[in-house]
Each structure stands twice: as structure tokens, then as C-alpha cells.
Amino acid sequence: MPQTPKKSSASVLSAGDPSHTVWYIAAMEELVGVVKQLSHARDLESVMRIVRKAARELTGADGATFVLRDDDKCYYADEDAITPLWKGQRFPMSACISGWVMLNGKPAVIEDIYNDPRIPADAYRPTFVKSLAMVPIRTEAPVGAIGNYWAQRHQPRNEEVAILQALADVTSVAIENAQLYTELQGKVRALQESNYELSRFAWVASHDLQEPLRTIVTRVELLSQRYHNQLDDRAQDYVHTAAEGARRLQQLVQDLLVHASAEKVENFHIVALAQVLREVRQDMHTLIVESNAEIFVDNLPQVQGNPALLGQLFQNLLGNAIKFRKAGTKPHIHIGCREEGAEWHITVEDNGIGIDPAYRERVFGLFQRLHTQDVYPGSGIGLATCRKIVELHSGRIWVEAAPAGGSAFHILLPRAYKDHGNDA
Amino acid sequence: MNILLVEDNQADALLLTELLEDTEKAPVLHWVTDGHYALDYVYRRAPYQNAWQPDLILLDLGLPRLSGYEVLQELKKSACTVPVIVLSTSGNPEDTSRCLDLGARDYICKPRNLDGYTALVQRLMMLELPKTA
């Protein structure tokens, strides 16, 4: 939680010296800049780098240290000074002024360090330090301290200490943010790993399922072909149903395998979508001819991606557009593309049966089907794979109603190279 | 015609045997279950000292002990002239080109159903094979 300085700024200004007021305002302005910088800091190192520099500049001191509490030790994590101080060293909390500051949760201001019992003089003798001011980072259970040091004897003024304390207060927020961010990064990484594991498992499982399935399918087919005469109608029906079930399971396993294989590919390169679509149409030639489908394709751009995955995307979408056609209607599919800011907006529109608005999000889930197997067979995996592929390409996909009454799938893909424009 | 089938899946091996036996050519099929036995067979090491030189090798990739890739590598090293056709589940293009680079004559994805197997057997029987000495 943000810490608010205990004293209001009005009370720290020394009365009667206008030059101090001018200094104080300038320091406050600088502090605002530091707060801005700190708001972008994502790790403790960046926080320290910003703070050790600011701590010295704000007060014009000859040196500044950034001390972190490390159990019962004070760890001099970072510094910025005219000559080296104690960077990298650890001192017991009880034998160090930063320890006193952290234990007491309040600043220490010392004009003559050799005349203060809290100061371990031996540690200071090799340094330039004559005077110092030290403030805790967080007043409740301090996590560290910020020190300012002067080479000439100097009585740190109230406003110098107040500015330093304000810096320490924003630093504590920045440290907490950095810790949260690091924690979040760790969780994101763990999640990515577990996702990968899951995907890997799905792949291995579906791959290994193919073998026994092949055995079942071929044997059942052998049975029905070679022993046809020895089976009565009921037995033939059993065999037929078993074969159908096994084939459906094969398709399911195949679709799952494709879904699990859609993984982040290391190297994305420039892919001409027009070429991808040409190949998809070749692969789907039989289905397109048999269904009498008409497919119109606008000029399509080049995008950054993986051609095999993008091919799978269009194959699934075209396959759906043909499968879910209106009975007695020639499938009419239009693939369009327009530029939209930093993205390409690609649409795949059909004149098929469309998707009820209530299900337009659900259809992208795994194993989501809206029809029974005998009306429109399928595994309910295809659109989940489409979404996965589009997201791997940093894009978005959704479905709306098409003007012709069917479905319009919308895909946004980042524009890789603005200048390469349309490539038909 | 002699065919050496290298296949660790018994069901797949039995199906191919049965379908090949039913063809006009009715080739003789020798079945071994891993890459080591395959090399022993080709080089006529024990227990295959008296084996006939195969006219064709049908090779699975995922095999115990010595993988199909290693068998291909070994055969290439010894300049073996027996044509090898890889039969595997994975149809990904990288596997295909790797096998062809290692000297395989062809790479065929294992069929999913009986029709596919029947077509595969027909295709094998139409192969032009070099006459063995």
C-alpha cells in the first residue's frame, strides 16, 4: 500500500529562507519525475538504479546508498557516491545506522558522525563521510533504508530529510510493485509450462490411440467383408455400428492430434495468405466439387506466421462453411480482407445455416457441438483449433451473422509488413 | 518375391501378412520386431544365416532397441541396395524428408482403415524392384 509522508510539506519548510523554498519546489518537481520512472520499474534492480541516482541528486549530497534488510543484516545493495562506500557488504542490524533506522522506523540525521554512538566509526574511517541522513523504506516494518552522505560537515535540513523520506515512501511502493510483477511473471511462466505439458499430453495420448484404433477398425472391417455370409442381419448391424463408432473415434483422435499440434512455432515468417488458400482449396478439391461450393477470394495480404497452421485455420473454416450448408442450397463462400489500423480484418462468410447468437462464443470451446452426429457429424474440435491458431498468431477470431444469412467468421491478424500490401 | 517387414506392432504385421498372402504374387513375408533383428536379417547374422536376401524392406520408424532411422543410417553406410519403404504413423513432412535423405525409397503413412491397407498392398505389388542376384 502507498505510504503517505507523515508530515505535510508546509510544516517542513524552514521559515524565513526563500532560497530553501525554491530548492524545495525544484526537488519536489524532480521527485515527481522519479515517481514516473519508478512506475515503469518492473524489477528490484531497476528500482535501485533509479533510487540511488535520485537520492543523491535530490539533496545534492556527495553519496547515496540503497540498503535492503536481509534478515538480521543490513545489505548495502547499491550506491552512487564520489568514492566507494559499502556496496555489496552486509552489517548486523545492531551495528549499523541503517539497522537503527529500520529497527526504529524513523529517520536518523547526524551532523557529526564521529560524535554519535549509533555510528560504527571504524566502518566510516576509510570513507569520505562526515555527515549523513538516513530514512527508512516503509515506516511499518521497514524493508530497507536510503542514506545520504556529505563529505563536508553538514546539518541536513528538515526539508532535505522530508524529500528523502518522500523518495523512500514511493520506493517502498515501487519495490512492492516489482515484487508483485516478478511473482506474476513466475506464475505466468508456470502456467505456460503447465499448458505446454497438457498440450504435449494430448498429443502423445492421441498419437498413441491411433494404433489400437487402427487395429479395431481394420479387424471389424475384415469381419464384415469376409464373414458377411455367416452373419445374420442383427450381427451385421452390430458389426456396422461398431465400425461406425470406431471410425468416429478415429476422426476425433485425428482432430485432437491436430489441435494439440497447433503449438507456438519457433520461427514465424512472412506468409502469403493467397498461396495458403490456394493450397487449402487444392487439398479440399473433392469436397468442394462434390458440394458444388462456390468460393470467392479477395486479394489477401502477407502476414507473419506459420503456413501449415494458417492452412489448417482456413481448411477448418471452409470445411465448416461447406458442412453446415442449407439443404438444397449451393454453398457460397466469400473470403474478404480489409485493412484496419494495425491489423488485417479477414472475413469468411457463407450462406449456410448460421449459428444461433446464443452459441456464438461457445462454438470456439473444445468439444462444443450444436448438432447431433447423424445430422452434422463432427468432433467439436475444429473451431477450438481455429481459435488456438489465431491466438498463436496474436490475433482474434469471432463469429457473427453473415449478410446472406449464414455465418461470418471474423479474424484480426497483426499487419506484419505495412508496405508489402496486398498480394493476390 | 521376399519382403522383410520390420514392425513391432503385431496387429499391423499380421494384417499386412494376411493381405499380402491374398495377392496374386503372394510374396514371402519375413517379419522381425525391431531394428537389431532387421540388420541381423539383412547381414545374415545369427539366427538368420540362411535367410534369403529380401527384395524389399518395409520399415516402421518407432521400433524397440534400434529405431527405423538408425536402421536406414546403417543400411546407407553399408551401401545396401535393397529398397526400403518406410511405413509410419506420423505423417509430418520433416520425418518424410529425413527418411528420404537417409535413402528410403518412399515414405507411406500407415492407413487408417482396410481400404487404405488394400490400396497400400496393391501399390507395393506394382513396385518395380531390382532383380536380386
Side-chain angles (χ1 to χ4, degrees), chain A residues 68-74 93:
Chain A
L68 286 172
R69 181 167 186 170
D70 183 7
D71 276 338
D72 58 344
K73 293 261 171 33
C74 305
M93 293 282 277

Side-chain angles (χ1 to χ4, degrees), chain A residues 211 214 219 221 226 250, chain B residues 9 11-12 18 111-112 114:
Chain A
E211 205 170 273
R214 186 170 58 234
R219 289 334 190 265
E221 287 175 341
R226 298 195 172 175
Q250 259 185 337
Chain B
N9 182 336
D12 285 357
E18 197 173 324
R112 282 160 64 173
L114 196 57

Side-chain angles (χ1 to χ4, degrees), chain A residues 45-245:
Chain A
E45 280 66 39
S46 318
V47 172
M48 291 198 299
R49 200 173 51 243
I50 295 163
V51 170
R52 62 149 206 238
K53 186 161 170 280
R56 201 178 147 193
E57 283 174 4
L58 280 171
T59 56
D62 300 310
T65 54
F66 191 109
V67 189
L68 286 172
R69 181 167 186 170
D70 183 7
D71 276 338
D72 58 344
K73 293 261 171 33
C74 305
Y75 171 50
Y76 282 73
D78 210 344
E79 66 189 28
D80 181 27
I82 48 172
T83 59
L85 293 166
W86 311 277
K87 185 174 173 174
Q89 297 188 51
R90 282 177 170 79
F91 301 97
M93 293 282 277
S94 54
C96 175
I97 189 65
S98 60
W100 184 90
V101 164
M102 283 189 258
L103 289 171
N104 291 276
K106 56 183 176 189
V109 180
I110 304 171
E111 189 187 356
D112 178 7
I113 59 155
Y114 294 109
N115 206 3
D116 191 301
R118 291 171 296 182
I119 295 288
D122 288 347
Y124 280 74
R125 228 159 257 127
T127 70
F128 64 83
V129 179
K130 297 282 189 306
S131 309
L132 67 78
M134 177 78 76
V135 293
I137 298 176
R138 238 163 62 171
T139 37
E140 295 290 316
V143 292
I146 297 172
N148 258 194
Y149 309 88
W150 285 268
Q152 305 298 324
R153 251 180 88 155
H154 171 81
Q155 172 61 52
R157 297 190 312 271
N158 279 352
E159 54 267 38
E160 284 176 330
V161 179
I163 284 281
L164 210 55
Q165 187 60 62
L167 175 67
D169 293 339
V170 294
T171 301
S172 81
V173 179
I175 288 176
E176 269 177 49
N177 283 345
Q179 279 165 349
L180 285 176
Y181 187 78
T182 311
E183 227 171 88
L184 192 66
Q185 290 287 90
K187 289 204 170 119
V188 166
R189 216 171 301 123
L191 204 60
Q192 280 169 341
E193 272 163 32
S194 100
N195 263 344
Y196 176 77
E197 278 298 306
L198 211 59
S199 189
R200 182 79 209 141
F201 170 77
W203 191 88
V204 170
S206 40
H207 184 263
D208 289 0
L209 279 173
Q210 287 184 312
E211 205 170 273
L213 264 174
R214 186 170 58 234
T215 306
I216 296 171
V217 167
T218 52
R219 289 334 190 265
V220 172
E221 287 175 341
L222 273 177
L223 181 63
S224 100
Q225 276 185 19
R226 298 195 172 175
Y227 295 87
H228 194 259
N229 298 336
Q230 298 169 46
L231 300 174
D232 64 16
D233 283 355
R234 185 183 284 193
Q236 278 184 30
D237 189 43
Y238 290 162
V239 170
H240 175 77
T241 314
E244 259 322 292

Side-chain angles (χ1 to χ4, degrees), chain B residues 39-55:
Chain B
L39 293 178
D40 287 345
Y41 190 97
V42 173
Y43 300 142
R44 288 174 218 176
R45 293 193 290 247
Y48 304 109
Q49 298 96 323
N50 302 319
W52 289 9
Q53 175 78 3
D55 302 299

Side-chain angles (χ1 to χ4, degrees), chain B residues 16-38:
Chain B
L16 261 183
T17 311
E18 197 173 324
L19 294 179
L20 281 166
E21 276 170 357
D22 287 354
T23 61
E24 224 172 285
K25 281 190 188 172
V28 183
L29 202 89
H30 308 272
W31 170 35
V32 294
T33 51
D34 73 31
H36 253 298
Y37 288 134

Side-chain angles (χ1 to χ4, degrees), chain B residues 1-4 54-58 82-85 124 127 129:
Chain B
M1 184 186 189
N2 286 295
I3 297 179
L4 174 64
D55 302 299
L56 174 69
I57 299 172
L58 295 178
V82 183
V84 181
I85 291 181
L124 291 177
L127 278 179
L129 297 174

